[in-house]
Amino acid sequence: IDKMIDKIMDRIAWGMSAIGAFVLLLMLVVTIADVVADKLLKLPFPGSTELVMSIMPISVCAFLLSLQIKKRHIVIDIMVNMLGPKARVFLQLLTPPCGIFLFGLLTWLSVPLAIHSVRIGEHTGGNVGVPMYPAKVMIPIATGLVTIQLIIELVRILRDWKKPQAVAAPAVDITDNIS
């Protein structure tokens, strides 16, 4: 069942990352078009600032699940390396519940905002109204998926913690066999 869950979460993470990559590419193209149009044609790209600003949260949130699955998040190694082994184990046990609480809270608080934004068809102010609701919908989706991943990780930590540890085989030094 672990492999099936991992496969599902990996596919979702891949889809979210594809969305994030597309949005980053869109931001790049719009920004370049704005700069080129402004510098060469003296005609700024209308709504470029509003568009980039409205989709930036999508580009950030879309990669959160992949970062959590691959354990590519920020770790303060200097501080962790100063701790003893028991303190490190304690931190490893403490991290998922803290993440579940924080990402769960973000999800819970952002869902009503996303629903309201969709209901009113929220747009940016300015010369060109760019929809804000896609970004506001992405936030609870991304934080909810990270919360689910953290719950999966916590269940696995607790499950594996209760299992008896296998005795490690003695290390073999390969240089002993060289004569």
Side-chain angles (χ1 to χ4, degrees), residues 6 9-10 13 64-73 149 153:
D6 287 345
M9 293 306 285
D10 284 341
L64 289 176
L65 181 61
S66 290
L67 290 172
Q68 182 60 39
I69 288 172
K70 295 176 182 177
K71 303 287 187 234
R72 298 289 177 128
H73 39 69
Q149 180 63 30
E153 291 172 15

Side-chain angles (χ1 to χ4, degrees), residues 42-119:
K42 303 292 184 210
L43 261 168
F45 189 93
S48 64
T49 303
E50 292 87 353
L51 178 62
V52 170
M53 186 177 69
S54 71
I55 63 177
M56 195 174 298
I58 297 172
S59 68
V60 172
C61 291
F63 295 106
L64 289 176
L65 181 61
S66 290
L67 290 172
Q68 182 60 39
I69 288 172
K70 295 176 182 177
K71 303 287 187 234
R72 298 289 177 128
H73 39 69
I74 298 170
V75 177
I76 305 172
D77 288 334
I78 295 170
M79 296 295 291
V80 173
N81 289 338
M82 288 181 181
L83 301 172
K86 288 183 180 179
R88 288 184 200 173
V89 169
F90 176 73
L91 281 179
Q92 287 176 343
L93 291 172
L94 184 65
T95 302
C98 288
I100 291 166
F101 173 74
L102 292 173
F103 279 98
L105 185 63
L106 280 171
T107 304
W108 181 57
L109 293 174
S110 62
V111 166
L113 297 174
I115 292 169
H116 179 70
S117 183
V118 170
R119 278 190 187 145

Side-chain angles (χ1 to χ4, degrees), residues 1-16 65-66 69 145 148-149 152 156:
I1 195 159
D2 279 357
K3 287 183 181 182
M4 183 181 71
I5 291 170
D6 287 345
K7 190 173 185 177
I8 291 168
M9 293 306 285
D10 284 341
R11 286 186 180 177
I12 293 170
W14 187 91
M16 294 290 285
L65 181 61
S66 290
I69 288 172
L145 287 169
I148 292 168
Q149 180 63 30
I152 292 167
R156 288 178 180 167

